[in-house]
Amino acid sequence: MNVELMMHAKALAEAAMLAAIAVQPLDPGLSVAELQQVVVGRDGIGAGTFRDVVAMFGAGPTDSRGRLLLASTTVMIALLGDSDVPEEIRPAAALNALGKMFDELENEEGRDATADRSFIHARCSSVPSEQIDRALGLVLCWGQVEQKGGRFCRRGRAWPEYRAHPTAAGFGKLQIGVLAAELLPVVRDVFAKRAGVHVPSEPPAERFGRFLTKQGWTGFAGWWTSTLREMSSLSDDRHPSAICVLCGALLEAALVAISAPAVDAAEWKQKFLANPPDRWKLGELIDQAEASKIFRPEQRALADLLANQRNRIHAGRFHERDRFNPPYTNAHEARSARDNLAILLTAILDWQPIKSLT
């Protein structure tokens, strides 16, 4: 057995899994076949040596589909021990921003506080969201942070200070982080070659929050993420009216948010836009969205339905003389409100004047 070749093959495999976190932070697992594409043939490594290396991983961590994940100790070495690792592998500023965010969140809500990605992006707005996601992927693999559904919480209380160029590069001769940077293009190709594999997409509401943050509209982004967070805590069965109202409010907020770039692009021209925004009505915004071809007719129908569901908060509309007949709001309407909001936000984000800003 060529021990040196085996160790190099193992380092390459681990580096590929580390690079996978940079490419796809929240779903970085690599199948054995995908890992083989990266390792075999590089630096004289053959298929037999690769099989022996995979056997060395044994009962190491895997994701729900059986794809290989990097061991937590190896992530720790890459984060704290290797020197000269580029930011695209170890985003030190993002890692430190995450630690500060969890400190503040736990101070506000307690040690078991959780946050979704949109909230994290908004609170770490000084760092690009792509780097925050890479940092989140790293600390998830290390075990500093735990994911519960779509939310994240810190597991340990201590959060080290991360440095772009650590001085303690004494964990070993093979610097996994440096190798990972070299393998990034190859690993990107591996993910690109996946066909027929479901990769969870970013929800439209989170994408819109990221759009707000990218424009520098921090106040709007903060309100958006807080409202989403509030809505995600509600149950369709127990809070259908509240969910419908919040979905309508988020639709109105999204249309208000894009009004300035839409006017600048000479796409929005209706008279009501000359009034202060606090006098705008959701119906007018929906009219303008349809007129500028953001919403197709079938999407316009969904927007009208969402507006009508939101308007149930105006109880006076259901009072006639001595009779009060408000419509029921049921759990299925809450589910459809969420779904319709996602469809409409996707249409807004795909509209060319906005798509060019995302």
Side-chain angles (χ1 to χ4, degrees):
M1 176 187 294
N2 187 329
V3 176
E4 186 175 348
L5 188 64
M6 279 280 293
M7 295 306 297
H8 186 56
K10 181 175 183 290
L12 282 171
E14 291 174 334
M17 288 187 277
L18 180 57
I21 299 173
V23 176
Q24 200 157 290
L26 301 184
D27 188 20
L30 290 172
S31 69
V32 172
E34 290 170 335
L35 200 57
Q36 183 170 344
Q37 292 176 40
V38 178
V39 176
V40 172
R42 187 175 298 273
D43 300 331
I45 296 170
T49 298
F50 173 77
R51 285 194 296 270
D52 291 339
V53 164
V54 171
M56 289 172 63
F57 292 140
T62 59
D63 64 18
S64 59
R65 288 158 291 194
R67 295 175 181 155
L68 299 174
L69 297 170
L70 197 57
S72 61
T73 53
T74 307
V75 179
M76 180 192 70
I77 291 171
L79 286 173
L80 301 178
D82 285 356
S83 60
D84 300 321
V85 180
E87 280 286 304
E88 55 192 344
I89 296 295
R90 182 180 55 211
L95 287 160
N96 291 328
L98 268 183
K100 180 181 178 183
M101 186 279 302
F102 278 113
D103 283 341
E104 294 172 347
L105 182 64
E106 290 174 6
N107 184 46
E108 296 165 3
E109 299 186 15
R111 62 182 297 170
D112 295 322
T114 63
D116 59 23
R117 281 175 65 223
S118 57
F119 178 88
I120 292 171
H121 289 164
R123 292 290 286 265
C124 301
S125 58
S126 62
V127 180
S129 57
E130 295 83 0
Q131 292 184 26
I132 293 296
D133 283 345
R134 289 194 202 107
L136 195 55
L138 288 166
V139 292
L140 280 167
C141 282
W142 186 7
Q144 279 185 292
V145 169
E146 181 180 2
Q147 184 172 7
K148 298 178 180 179
R151 305 181 71 79
F152 304 88
C153 66
R154 181 162 62 182
R155 289 183 63 186
R157 304 277 70 81
W159 192 279
E161 179 184 354
Y162 292 95
R163 301 180 182 179
H165 304 288
T167 57
F171 285 101
K173 293 181 180 180
L174 294 172
Q175 295 189 349
I176 305 301
V178 176
L179 284 175
E182 297 173 1
L183 293 178
L184 268 177
V186 182
V187 174
R188 287 194 183 103
D189 288 343
V190 167
F191 280 110
K193 289 176 183 176
R194 281 188 180 173
V197 177
H198 174 66
V199 178
S201 60
E202 187 177 24
E206 288 191 16
R207 288 174 53 209
F208 196 86
R210 185 155 52 85
F211 161 75
L212 293 172
T213 300
K214 186 175 180 180
Q215 310 317 306
W217 303 336
T218 54
F220 215 142
W223 176 89
W224 182 270
T225 55
S226 295
T227 305
L228 276 182
R229 193 177 186 199
E230 178 181 349
M231 190 170 72
S232 68
S233 71
L234 302 177
S235 163
D236 293 345
D237 294 322
R238 290 177 295 171
H239 312 106
S241 295
I243 291 170
C244 289
V245 169
L246 288 177
C247 284
L250 287 164
L251 174 61
E252 181 172 350
L255 292 171
V256 170
I258 68 164
S259 61
V263 170
D264 290 344
E267 294 283 352
W268 280 24
K269 305 174 183 178
Q270 292 196 6
K271 292 181 180 179
F272 77 89
L273 295 166
N275 298 325
D278 62 358
R279 293 174 56 189
W280 297 353
K281 297 180 179 179
L282 178 54
E284 294 173 328
L285 289 162
I286 293 172
D287 288 341
Q288 178 64 90
E290 184 184 32
S292 57
K293 303 191 184 308
I294 297 176
F295 296 158
R296 300 189 300 273
E298 63 271 23
Q299 293 167 333
R300 165 64 192 258
L302 298 180
D304 286 339
L305 176 60
L306 195 53
N308 289 333
Q309 291 172 324
R310 185 209 64 160
N311 288 341
R312 292 178 186 180
I313 198 172
H314 301 298
R317 299 187 179 193
F318 312 117
H319 181 65
E320 296 179 6
R321 296 183 181 177
D322 59 343
R323 302 183 66 184
F324 185 68
N325 294 312
Y328 287 106
T329 304
N330 300 305
H332 73 274
E333 291 177 294
R335 290 191 291 271
S336 71
R338 292 184 196 266
D339 291 342
N340 292 343
L341 176 64
I343 291 169
L344 296 169
L345 290 176
T346 299
I348 292 170
L349 289 165
D350 286 345
W351 189 50
Q352 189 54 47
I354 301 305
K355 190 174 183 179
S356 64
L357 299 176
T358 58

